[in-house]
């Protein structure tokens, strides 16, 4: 592999518009076994006002130039300079010109899965962020927008299906077993949205008619024999198309919309114009092979990529520093879609849980960066929880601050004003400011200042007056960005003893109160509510209206009361998780098992049985925080053994107290003989039943009933839940070995299910798991070449197994570091992403901290590491 890293840092402040414009691109791509010939004609011209002496400098990456023509004449070698990563052409004419570039590629050797590669024989591409430069020399930057006409040629036998962006054009036979197809994309797009797919593929077809009557042919392509597993994805696609028309007035804009499911893919999916390419994990589902979580994931990712057609494609990013412009906004849109399609409260809790588990540790550790970064070494490493998830939170805050109508007016103006543009965060915010006549200067700090602000809340009550004292504080972290007070929208309610919200009459003060939102814009402010008939329980930061760490000095009595009677479901969930999280944190620090507060245990048990609550919400309410979550609450000198012990004690305590009630609820929820439904209500019942099964197995201290549940399972959700409980709680039981063996034999031919089998074993919190993962890495079905498989084992272990990854002897760290070094030689992007599992190493006790540092430093010192992996390791170590 060619490594061309010079350690260079790219800075936002260095942004310059391109010196040349590329208006149209024509490509002829001939696919053969072993190589591909690419002929690209760039119709370009010097940008207005650009220096006439400036050469055209095109990006490349590991490219081989075959020939170069300017307006049909071979270019004199004295006029250009070429290397694998750059093509410089001098003395270009003042008038528009056509530059024809021929390159030869070897897709079979492309293990990085960026550019053109082959996955199970299928030719496919991944160009975001900088993969197009691995196909041809180009101005490979998102502010260069061109129309494309692509002609694909291949053996009809090897590739009966030939796909690219836009609408299909001419196609036909070439003789000698070869054929061709032309695709025309009339919408100017940046090169990162280019795609082609060619191969033997099965298809599931459907049609859609847009609100204004345009017919669209929909197709989902899969590897042979799997198209029937795309039915739910197709349904989710059609629902997404309807939703985007209704909610945002966004209609689809081509005659066809194609999706292809690919086995080897670095990320979840990619929004290429008219030709979305997906990790097959986010397309293929069947009740017997996919869990309810998989169904929800498919729905979300299908919607996400489809929504990019407007937020990302029609309006793209000026440069990669603006990545959250398309990603944060599109995550917000897919979250809203899921909330509307399923349950708003359940979806919000799941999003907040994910934000705290993924983004908070990133924002509070060495990989901290602002939602709009100002510099990077490797852009692939900035597809982070901060860009995506925190980026979505910022859009959500805008919606909270401006209200539903104001937010929609801003979005309408954004689409009207910037359609066809490569835009910036400033452009985006200006639309909301202009549409609602609001000053968003202070709000813009959220994009610049990294870190999670603390929000301190104190309350005092006397004579019908509640005074709420608010204080925000942002500590300087690894990114070293500013710490100015920001605009924090705080949704709240004053809950009366009858469980209803009381009327809140705020007195004029430092913080403005608008309906149920307090706008905190200063470092400190008091809000006073007067004329109250009783002392209310303050339900603050409802729906997690801002991504902050809440430090609320609230009595245990009030929180226990809110856990039962807050009319806001999110508020009830938060009261419970916080109480449980704090108890687990304290027990972990003390290293002793102080029993849980019986009132908390009783509240959890009662919640599980509360029939008026939807089962999915009950399952979330009784969930015990995971070991890494507890570690984050502990914060410093974490001892994962103590955390594990404290969590186990808590599970047993709740299980014993709730055993009878849990069994009754679980039995009442059973629907024997009912056929499988993937709908949210059925999934919610399964979630609650399986959450209860976990407690019951802990109460039993016997694997028998869980093994029975495993054998009885008629869907993957129940089978996986039972197998996980067996492996995690009874690692040495013969029933566990039997279940894992049956699981393997039933699904060894199904790669997506086999991934689950690898992960399941890698996450077992038992010291012997280190030997298990060593063996699994030598299993004939294990390969580092497939990212899903690599993530299943390495990621399962390093992010899903706190106890063993963080073994005191450092063996967990060393095993992981060795795998990362191997993986980096094949696929730097995936290696770098997995390496982030070390990011919280400084929060552990000194012995482990030193072991982690040694393993990281040793890996960082290895010769020939990729820019992707070195960047993560260097930042993690400093
Ligand atoms: N834009 C893609 C998304 O949001 C992300 C993505 C897919 C990606 N493949 C990638 C990013 C490869 C970097 C590299 O869904
Ligand atoms: Zn995206």
């Amino acid at each position: 592999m060619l490594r061309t890293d010079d350690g260079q840092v790219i800075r936002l402040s260095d942004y310059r518009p391109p010196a040349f414009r590329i208006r149209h691109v024509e490509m002829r791509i001939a696919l053969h076994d072993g190589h591909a010939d690419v002929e690209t004609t760039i119709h370009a011209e010097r940008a207005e006002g650009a220096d006439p002496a400036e050469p055209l400098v095109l990006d490349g990456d590991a490219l081989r130039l075959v020939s170069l023509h300017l307006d049909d004449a071979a270019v004199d070698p004295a006029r250009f300079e070429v290397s694998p990563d750059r093509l410089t052409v001098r003395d270009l004419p003042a008038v528009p010109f056509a530059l024809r570039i021929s390159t030869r590629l070897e897709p079979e050797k492309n293990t990085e899965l960026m550019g053109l590669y082959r996955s199970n024989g299928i030719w496919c591409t991944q160009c975001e962020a900088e993969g197009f430069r691995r196909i041809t020399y180009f101005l490979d930057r998102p502010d260069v927008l061109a129309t494309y006409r692509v002609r694909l040629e291949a053996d009809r036998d090897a590739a009966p299906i030939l796909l690219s962006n836009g609408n299909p054009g001419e196609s036909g036979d070439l003789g000698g077993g070869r054929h061709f197809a032309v695709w025309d994309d009339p919408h100017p797009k940046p090169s990162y949205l280019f795609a082609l797919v060619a191969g033997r593929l099965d298809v599931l077809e459907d049609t859609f008619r847009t609100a204004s009557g345009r017919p669209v042919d929909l197709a989902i392509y899969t590897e042979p024999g799997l198209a029937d597993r795309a039915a739910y994805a197709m349904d989710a696609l059609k629902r997404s198309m309807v939703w985007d028309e209704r909610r945002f007035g966004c209609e689809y804009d081509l005659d066809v919309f194609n999706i292809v499911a690919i086995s080897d893919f670095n990320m979840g999916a990619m929004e290429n114009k008219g030709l979305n390419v997906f990790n097959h994990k986010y397309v293929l589902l069947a009740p017997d092979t996919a869990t309810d979580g998989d169904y929800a994931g498919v729905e979300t990712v299908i919607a996400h990529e489809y929504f990019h057609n407007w937020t990302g494609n029609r309006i793209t990013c000026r440069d990669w520093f603006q990545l959250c412009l398309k990603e944060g906004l599109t995550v917000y849109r897919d979250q809203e879609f899921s909330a509307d399609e399923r349950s708003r409260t359940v979806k919000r809790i799941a999003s907040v849980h994910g934000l705290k588990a993924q983004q908070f540790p990133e924002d509070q550790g060495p990989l901290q960066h602002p939602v709009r970064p100002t510099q990077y070494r490797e852009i692939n490493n900035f597809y982070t929880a901060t860009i995506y998830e925190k980026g979505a939170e910022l859009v959500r805050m805008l919606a909270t601050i401006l209200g539903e109508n104001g937010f929609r007016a801003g979005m309408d103006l954004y689409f009207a004003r910037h359609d066809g543009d490569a835009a910036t965060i400033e452009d985006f915010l200006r639309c909301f400011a202009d549409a609602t006549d609001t000053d968003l200067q202070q709000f813009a700090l959220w994009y610049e200042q990294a870190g999670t602000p603390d929000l301190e809340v104190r309350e005092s009550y006397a004579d019908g007056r509640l005074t709420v004292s608010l204080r925000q504080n942002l500590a300087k972290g690894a990114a070293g960005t500013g710490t100015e007070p920001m605009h924090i929208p705080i949704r709240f309610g004053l809950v009366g003893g009858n469980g209803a919200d009381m009327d809140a009459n705020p007195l004029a003060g430092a913080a403005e109160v608008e309906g149920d939102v307090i706008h905190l814009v200063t470092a400190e402010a008091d809000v006073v509510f007067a004329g109250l008939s009783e002392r209310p329980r303050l339900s603050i930061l409802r729906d997690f209206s801002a991504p902050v760490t809440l430090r609320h000095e609230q009595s245990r009595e009030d929180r226990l009361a809110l856990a039962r009677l807050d009319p806001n479901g999110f508020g009830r969930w938060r009261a419970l998780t916080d109480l449980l999280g704090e108890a687990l944190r304290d027990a972990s620090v003390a290293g002793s098992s102080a029993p849980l507060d019986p009132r908390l245990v009783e509240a959890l048990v009662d919640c599980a049985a509360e029939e008026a609550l939807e089962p999915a919400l009950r399952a979330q309410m009784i969930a015990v925080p995971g070991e890494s979550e507890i570690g984050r609450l502990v914060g410093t000198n974490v001892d994962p053994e103590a955390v594990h012990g404290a969590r186990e004690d808590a599970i047993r305590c709740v299980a014993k107290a709730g055993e009878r009630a849990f069994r009754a609820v679980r039995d009442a929820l059973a629907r024997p003989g009912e056929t499988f439904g993937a709908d949210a209500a059925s999934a919610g019942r399964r979630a609650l039943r399986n959450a209860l099964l976990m407690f019951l197995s802990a109460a039993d201290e016997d694997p028998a009933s869980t093994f029975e549940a495993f054998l009885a399972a008629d869907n993957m959700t129940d089978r996986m839940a039972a197998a996980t409980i067996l492996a995690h709680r009874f690692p040495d039981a013969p029933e566990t070995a039997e279940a894992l063996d049956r699981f393997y034999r039933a699904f060894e031919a199904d790669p997506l299910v086999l991934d689950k089998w690898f992960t399941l074993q890698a996450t077992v919190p038992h010291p012997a798991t280190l030997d298990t993962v060593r063996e699994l890495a030598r299993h004939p079905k294990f390969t580092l070449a497939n990212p899903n498989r690599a993530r299943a084992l390495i990621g399962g272990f390093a992010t899903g197994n706190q106890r063993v990854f963080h073994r005191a002897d450092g063996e967990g760290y060393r095993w992981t570091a060795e795998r990362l070094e191997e993986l980096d030689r094949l696929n730097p992007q995936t290696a770098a992403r997995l390496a982030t599992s070390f990011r919280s190493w400084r929060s552990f006790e000194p012995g482990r901290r030193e072991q982690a540092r040694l393993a990281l430093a040793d890996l960082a010192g290895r010769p020939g590491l990729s820019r992707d992996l070195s960047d993560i390791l260097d930042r993690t170590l400093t």
Side-chain angles (χ1 to χ4, degrees):
M1 186 186 311
L2 274 142
R3 308 266 196 216
T4 48
D5 184 24
D6 41 13
Q8 197 186 315
V9 175
I10 317 287
R11 293 196 164 74
L12 171 59
S13 57
D14 290 340
Y15 175 81
R16 298 285 174 276
F20 288 83
R21 259 205 190 118
I22 300 175
R23 296 204 181 271
H24 181 63
V25 179
E26 275 167 58
M27 300 182 86
R28 207 190 119 221
I29 300 167
L31 303 170
H32 301 272
D33 261 327
H35 73 276
D37 286 318
V38 180
E39 190 186 275
T40 309
T41 306
I42 293 172
H43 295 273
E45 68 200 56
R46 209 171 281 282
E48 262 169 64
D51 176 357
E54 201 167 322
L56 174 65
V57 183
L58 301 178
D59 307 296
D61 180 3
L63 282 180
R64 177 146 54 104
L65 182 71
V66 174
S67 68
L68 185 65
H69 290 77
L70 180 63
D71 296 326
D72 284 329
V75 182
D76 181 342
R79 259 174 86 183
F80 72 90
E81 249 165 65
V82 68
S83 72
D85 55 6
R86 188 162 295 126
L87 171 61
T88 307
V89 191
R90 274 179 295 275
D91 309 325
L92 285 162
V95 293
F97 57 88
L99 190 67
R100 194 165 79 234
I101 302 161
S102 295
T103 49
R104 173 166 279 203
L105 316 177
E106 294 178 304
E108 284 82 356
K109 295 191 181 159
N110 183 350
T111 61
E112 299 183 31
L113 315 185
M114 292 295 286
L116 176 64
Y117 63 95
R118 284 188 89 170
S119 171
N120 283 348
I122 300 163
W123 283 272
C124 62
T125 55
Q126 172 56 40
C127 290
E128 185 176 8
E130 298 180 334
F132 193 67
R133 62 183 65 184
R134 294 166 58 81
I135 297 172
T136 186
Y137 293 98
F138 202 73
L139 288 179
D140 191 16
R141 42 187 287 170
D143 57 354
V144 173
L145 279 66
T147 53
Y148 284 67
R149 185 184 176 86
V150 176
R151 178 187 161 102
L152 300 172
E153 300 178 7
D155 284 353
R156 197 184 280 279
D157 216 33
I161 306 288
L162 300 173
L163 305 171
S164 189
N165 313 94
N167 294 318
E170 214 193 325
S171 62
D173 216 74
L174 290 170
R178 298 196 49 91
H179 73 140
F180 77 97
V182 176
W183 288 82
D184 257 301
D185 188 356
H187 298 282
K189 68 165 176 288
S191 51
Y192 81 84
L193 291 174
F194 168 84
L196 75 80
V197 174
R200 306 177 149 279
L201 298 161
D202 274 359
V203 65
L204 177 71
E205 290 175 316
D206 212 322
T207 57
F208 183 81
R209 189 171 285 275
T210 69
S212 64
R214 175 200 268 275
V216 184
D217 288 330
L218 310 176
I220 303 183
Y221 292 88
T222 69
E223 287 178 13
L226 296 173
D228 58 324
R229 292 198 188 179
Y232 184 84
M234 181 65 88
D235 179 61
L237 172 62
K238 290 187 288 181
R239 287 187 282 121
S240 305
M241 295 177 87
V242 170
W243 185 88
D244 214 13
E245 291 179 345
R246 297 214 177 122
R247 178 74 181 269
F248 286 105
C250 291
E251 265 189 48
Y252 191 60
D253 54 5
L254 288 166
D255 303 336
V256 300
F257 187 73
N258 289 320
I259 289 176
V260 186
I262 292 291
S263 298
D264 302 279
F265 201 74
N266 281 345
M267 303 273 285
M270 181 62 211
E271 70 264 24
N272 317 299
K273 184 76 185 190
L275 178 55
N276 288 2
V277 176
F278 273 62
N279 185 328
H280 64 165
K281 172 181 163 66
Y282 292 110
V283 174
L284 304 178
L285 299 170
D288 206 40
T289 62
T291 63
D292 292 324
D294 294 328
Y295 276 85
V298 167
E299 185 178 69
T300 294
V301 180
I302 289 275
H304 179 96
E305 306 310 329
Y306 174 71
F307 295 157
H308 267 315
N309 191 55
W310 277 92
T311 51
N313 300 4
R314 290 289 289 250
I315 307 178
T316 193
C317 302
R318 188 193 71 173
D319 53 70
W320 292 120
F321 297 102
Q322 321 294 330
L323 186 55
C324 67
L325 177 73
K326 73 176 177 85
E327 295 304 348
L329 178 54
T330 304
V331 170
Y332 171 74
R333 277 152 51 71
D334 80 51
Q335 289 178 349
E336 284 297 290
F337 168 72
S338 298
D340 285 345
E341 297 286 304
R342 293 173 174 236
S343 152
R344 184 158 285 271
T345 303
V346 170
K347 176 63 187 178
R348 187 60 189 142
I349 290 170
S351 301
V352 171
H353 186 258
L355 183 81
K356 289 190 171 181
Q358 295 303 323
Q359 200 276 328
F360 276 31
E362 182 170 274
D363 222 353
Q364 294 156 25
L367 299 179
Q368 182 193 67
H369 59 86
V371 174
R372 183 174 60 185
T374 55
Q375 57 175 64
Y376 60 77
R377 266 173 70 193
E378 173 51 64
I379 187 57
N380 285 336
N381 290 338
F382 281 81
Y383 288 76
T384 61
T386 297
I387 303 285
Y388 279 68
E389 264 61 49
K390 189 173 178 183
E393 292 301 319
L394 304 200
V395 176
R396 185 172 296 281
M397 282 194 285
L398 261 186
T400 303
I401 290 169
L402 302 175
E404 197 179 319
N405 294 335
F407 181 73
R408 175 66 198 261
M411 287 296 289
D412 287 349
L413 183 57
Y414 179 60
F415 292 127
R417 191 185 273 177
H418 291 291
D419 187 14
D421 285 353
T424 62
I425 288 300
E426 283 77 8
D427 294 332
F428 177 68
L429 290 179
R430 201 171 301 117
C431 291
F432 291 91
D434 290 354
T436 62
D437 201 15
T438 310
D439 182 346
L440 293 172
Q441 297 268 26
Q442 187 186 18
F443 183 77
L445 290 172
W446 278 105
Y447 287 90
E448 293 166 25
Q449 301 190 149
T452 314
D454 275 332
L455 176 62
E456 276 175 42
V457 182
R458 252 179 294 249
E459 38 178 316
S460 64
Y461 179 83
D463 306 327
R465 274 178 170 239
L466 176 73
T467 304
V468 180
S469 304
L470 302 164
R471 229 168 90 106
Q472 59 169 306
N473 179 48
L474 179 58
K476 220 183 210 30
T481 49
T483 59
E484 298 293 307
M486 299 193 280
H487 182 169
I488 302 181
I490 307 167
R491 207 182 280 287
F492 75 101
L494 305 181
V495 182
N498 62 354
D501 278 349
M502 302 164 68
D503 282 336
N505 301 307
L507 302 182
E512 196 190 324
V513 182
E514 226 180 338
D516 63 349
V517 179
I518 302 170
H519 296 277
L520 178 65
V521 294
T522 48
E524 295 184 11
D526 283 358
V527 183
V528 182
F529 300 97
L532 297 166
S533 54
E534 59 172 309
R535 189 184 68 78
R537 276 96 177 184
L538 176 60
S539 170
I540 197 103
L541 201 67
R542 276 185 171 171
D543 302 333
F544 209 65
S545 59
V548 298
T549 300
L550 183 61
R551 303 202 188 280
H552 186 183
E553 281 184 15
Q554 188 170 35
S555 70
R556 180 171 282 267
E557 284 65 31
D558 275 8
R559 297 200 293 170
L560 285 163
L562 286 171
R564 288 179 183 274
L565 52 75
D566 194 332
N568 179 276
F570 184 91
R572 292 187 61 183
W573 169 77
R574 204 230 321 276
L576 278 177
T577 354
D578 283 359
L579 284 165
L580 193 51
E582 285 163 29
L584 287 163
R585 177 198 64 194
D586 295 345
S588 302
V589 172
S592 70
S593 48
L596 288 178
D597 181 340
R599 292 171 304 171
L600 170 58
V601 175
E602 201 184 307
L604 286 163
V605 174
D606 289 351
C607 254
E610 191 175 322
E611 279 179 22
L613 284 183
E614 53 182 324
L617 181 54
R618 284 190 260 165
Q620 289 172 318
M621 284 184 165
I622 62 170
V624 180
E627 291 177 15
S628 52
E629 240 174 304
I630 301 166
R632 191 176 61 77
L633 295 173
V634 172
T636 50
N637 289 312
V638 175
D639 172 0
E641 289 298 329
V643 169
H644 178 76
R647 186 168 186 273
E648 284 303 305
D649 289 344
I651 288 172
R652 270 192 297 272
C653 170
V654 175
K656 292 280 183 222
E659 188 172 359
R660 282 187 54 193
F662 289 171
R663 212 175 293 282
V665 174
R666 185 172 147 80
D667 290 345
L669 285 167
R671 300 271 193 287
E674 187 189 65
T675 52
F676 177 87
D679 58 288
S682 308
R685 281 197 298 275
R686 283 187 288 270
L688 182 53
R689 290 195 81 230
N690 289 324
L692 296 172
L693 181 62
M694 191 280 290
F695 283 116
L696 291 172
S697 79
D700 282 356
E701 294 181 38
D702 186 300
S705 56
T706 309
F707 186 61
E708 239 170 73
F710 174 82
L711 295 177
D714 65 352
N715 62 80
M716 186 49 84
T717 302
D718 292 341
R719 184 179 300 119
M720 207 39 209
T724 305
I725 294 167
L726 284 172
H728 283 214
R729 309 204 66 80
F730 310 101
D732 302 320
E735 286 91 339
T736 299
E738 173 70 19
L740 286 171
D741 192 49
R742 280 171 185 253
F743 192 104
Y744 181 81
R745 280 184 282 122
F747 297 106
E748 74 179 299
D750 190 317
L752 291 172
V753 185
L754 210 52
D755 289 339
K756 297 182 195 301
W757 182 81
F758 277 96
T759 301
L760 201 164
Q761 298 175 80
T763 53
V764 173
H766 187 281
T769 297
L770 190 65
D771 302 319
T772 312
V773 294
R774 282 201 170 108
E775 264 169 53
L776 287 173
R778 289 189 292 264
H779 192 280
K781 298 273 187 186
F782 183 73
T783 170
L784 288 170
N786 175 262
N788 288 0
R789 191 58 49 82
R791 283 188 282 258
L793 182 61
I794 306 170
F797 179 68
T799 67
N801 196 336
Q802 290 293 292
R803 192 181 182 200
V804 189
F805 174 61
H806 296 286
R807 266 167 65 126
D809 62 6
E811 283 297 318
Y813 300 137
R814 283 191 287 279
W815 180 82
T816 304
E818 283 163 23
R819 299 292 79 71
L820 293 178
E821 191 192 359
E822 283 174 57
L823 179 57
D824 190 48
R825 283 181 230 127
L826 294 171
N827 186 330
Q829 196 179 334
T830 301
R833 186 160 284 270
L834 287 171
T836 62
S837 56
F838 279 95
R839 68 187 172 194
S840 299
W841 67 278
R842 275 182 215 278
S843 63
F844 286 84
E845 52 79 27
R848 287 174 170 84
R849 213 184 301 156
E850 180 59 9
Q851 293 288 356
R853 195 190 61 75
L854 285 169
L856 281 167
D858 178 65
L859 179 57
R862 299 291 165 111
L865 293 190
S866 68
R867 169 165 62 199
D868 305 60
L869 185 55
S870 327
D871 172 43
I872 295 291
L873 295 176
D874 293 351
R875 282 192 282 143
T876 302
L877 276 162
T878 44

